[in-house]
Amino acid sequence: MTPQNNIVIDNHQLSFNSGETILETARRNNIHIPTLCYLKGTTPSEKCGICVVEIQGPKKLVPSCSTPAASGMVIYTESKKVTKERRSIIRTMLSSGNHNCAIRDFNAEGWTEFQFAVLNEDRSNSLCPAWGDCRLQDLAYRYQVNVADSPHEGSRFPMERVNPFILRDFSRCILCGRCVKACREKQVNNAIDFISTENGDKIAAGSDVALKDSDCVFCGECIEVCPVGALVPQNFLEKKYFVKTEKIKTTCGFCGVGCQLELNVQNNRIVKINSAGEDTAPNFGSLCVKGRFGYDFVSSLDRITSPMIRKNKTLEKVTWDEALDFAAENLNRIKKNFGSDSIGLLTSARTTNEDNYIAQKFTRAVLKTNNIDHCARL
């Protein structure tokens, strides 16, 4: 950093690193500039325009996500001109789809007609699945956007519900491109991209097919970064909105990487899994299909919750002491009669590294065999 690398943002004199954008400098100094299309670690797309700022001198507003910081700049992030532009962008976005989040402020008759149309298209009697967790909704409240006089454009493309994990609601897509950036630049799956159709622009998979028929691996990175309700887990239209949701940070147990998760728990039941954040190692916001969607087994009614021993050809529940004594007795008998290598142990990719370490220690040190492996099926 050189002494000349100084700018002023909202009356704060700051230093910037060579190559930094205005947005990066502001964020590093805890100055909030709202964004919708910006995705850390990817190239700026300038799709949404929400991050515009005013620079003293030039008349035109500039996108802070792609404009390099330069010495002598005097920048305003919330001037009247900036606020007016953001309100206009938000109003246009809210009018472009089924954003039934109590933001639209229609009169009673108009709101009822709009709401009934949305419920019919969603095939659900709930609000938007991203209600209360939507960046567009947050910005609309922040800037007090009223779209009562703006016509509602309606849905241009039908909802896609045939995928095993991801629901795609094009009526709520604001074409910010964050999902495309995440898919192509972070996960490098290249499953989705922008296309132009006779009904307008659209984010499509492959040659405009369902995700299940494309190169999508259902990692759910697109869900993670979607700022609205356009991409949600398939079961999320049944989400309970006004039930307390506890968020619990934990470690994924499907493999040894140790990805950090955030469990969304309602009534002691997992309803959704997010990553623990884009700055959290080792996965930095990314998850695989198992880590993000493989949680139904936790609350499965078929899950075995106590040890069982087969007696008279029938599995019967027993205490842990009975089960351990039974296992020890039979392992010793087999080892004595047939040798250690007649025994093998299967562990699970769903258990922790520590549990698997103890399992291999027991296998090699106690059973005296190297016959240990694991089953990694979802």
Side-chain angles (χ1 to χ4, degrees):
M1 185 183 299
T2 65
Q4 291 77 31
N5 286 4
N6 291 311
I7 59 175
V8 176
I9 302 180
D10 294 341
N11 298 319
H12 298 285
Q13 186 166 331
L14 307 170
S15 298
F16 63 90
N17 299 318
S18 296
E20 271 190 338
T21 63
I22 295 173
L23 178 63
E24 289 170 334
T25 302
R27 287 192 167 189
R28 188 166 50 79
N29 289 278
N30 297 317
I31 296 176
H32 178 69
I33 298 177
T35 63
L36 282 174
C37 69
Y38 174 78
L39 184 61
K40 184 179 178 180
T42 66
T43 55
S45 63
E46 302 181 23
K47 289 288 185 181
C48 71
I50 289 292
C51 74
V52 291
V53 294
E54 183 177 1
I55 300 177
Q56 192 176 80
K59 293 183 178 180
K60 187 177 179 182
L61 300 179
V62 299
S64 62
C65 67
S66 59
T67 303
S71 295
M73 277 184 171
V74 178
I75 300 162
Y76 304 100
T77 67
E78 292 286 346
S79 66
K80 289 184 179 180
K81 191 174 180 181
V82 168
T83 300
K84 181 180 178 181
E85 178 68 11
R86 288 179 185 160
R87 285 170 60 87
S88 175
I89 293 170
I90 294 167
R91 184 176 293 107
T92 300
M93 287 181 175
L94 285 172
S95 301
S96 68
N98 291 340
H99 302 289
N100 59 327
C101 51
I103 288 294
R104 294 185 60 84
D105 193 27
F106 280 119
N107 58 48
E109 182 180 354
W111 168 254
T112 302
E113 293 175 357
F114 168 69
Q115 187 70 20
F116 276 127
V118 173
L119 301 186
N120 183 59
E121 291 176 7
D122 283 355
R123 286 181 279 169
S124 167
N125 61 358
S126 298
L127 291 168
C128 170
W131 189 91
D133 188 25
C134 171
R135 292 192 189 182
L136 180 58
Q137 184 184 38
D138 292 343
L139 289 173
Y141 276 121
R142 174 177 173 176
Y143 290 99
Q144 294 295 292
V145 176
N146 185 320
V147 292
D149 299 326
S150 300
H152 173 242
E153 295 182 8
S155 302
R156 292 176 292 174
F157 307 102
M159 184 186 296
E160 184 180 306
R161 305 188 68 164
V162 297
N163 306 303
F165 302 112
I166 301 174
L167 183 149
R168 305 173 76 200
D169 188 348
F170 298 101
S171 72
R172 293 190 170 104
C173 179
I174 58 174
L175 297 175
C176 66
R178 281 171 61 91
C179 58
V180 175
K181 290 291 182 180
C183 183
R184 303 185 76 85
E185 296 187 30
K186 294 189 72 175
Q187 291 291 71
V188 199
N189 287 329
N190 299 327
I192 56 176
D193 204 352
F194 283 92
I195 66 168
S196 295
T197 73
E198 59 182 11
N199 291 322
D201 290 342
K202 177 185 182 183
I203 294 175
S207 57
D208 199 7
V209 297
L211 286 178
K212 69 181 182 67
D213 300 319
S214 71
D215 292 332
C216 178
V217 297
F218 292 102
C219 65
E221 193 84 8
C222 55
I223 291 178
E224 184 81 28
V225 303
C226 181
V228 290
L231 295 165
V232 294
Q234 270 285 10
N235 62 349
F236 225 50
L237 283 182
E238 287 75 41
K239 169 188 174 183
K240 294 179 173 62
Y241 291 92
F242 303 108
V243 174
K244 181 180 178 181
T245 301
E246 185 179 4
K247 295 191 175 183
I248 303 172
K249 184 178 178 181
T250 187
T251 301
C252 181
F254 273 113
C255 75
V257 172
C259 291
Q260 297 301 290
L261 309 177
E262 183 181 73
L263 307 181
N264 291 253
V265 180
Q266 291 181 343
N267 295 329
N268 203 35
R269 187 183 183 92
I270 300 172
V271 295
K272 185 183 179 184
I273 290 181
N274 299 324
S275 75
E278 62 182 12
D279 296 320
T280 304
N283 48 315
F284 298 103
S286 297
L287 293 173
C288 72
V289 62
K290 292 182 180 179
R292 193 180 301 278
F293 300 112
Y295 59 84
D296 287 348
F297 71 92
V298 176
S299 302
S300 172
L301 296 178
D302 296 327
R303 185 174 180 180
I304 297 174
T305 57
S306 65
M308 306 178 80
I309 293 178
R310 192 175 300 279
K311 298 178 179 179
N312 299 321
K313 299 182 179 181
T314 303
L315 285 172
E316 298 181 9
K317 291 183 178 180
V318 296
T319 65
W320 277 107
D321 286 340
E322 288 180 273
L324 291 172
D325 289 343
F326 179 85
E329 179 184 337
N330 282 277
L331 285 172
N332 280 325
R333 176 180 57 80
I334 295 170
K335 180 180 175 183
K336 179 179 179 180
N337 295 336
F338 303 101
S340 295
D341 284 338
S342 63
I343 302 172
L345 183 66
L346 278 177
T347 63
S348 172
R350 291 177 179 170
T351 61
T352 64
N353 288 343
E354 290 79 7
D355 285 341
N356 279 325
Y357 173 80
I358 290 298
Q360 67 85 26
K361 196 74 171 178
F362 171 77
T363 304
R364 294 186 170 97
V366 178
L367 300 180
K368 306 297 183 182
T369 180
N370 290 320
N371 296 335
I372 182 169
D373 204 342
H374 77 283
C375 174
R377 291 179 62 191
L378 179 61

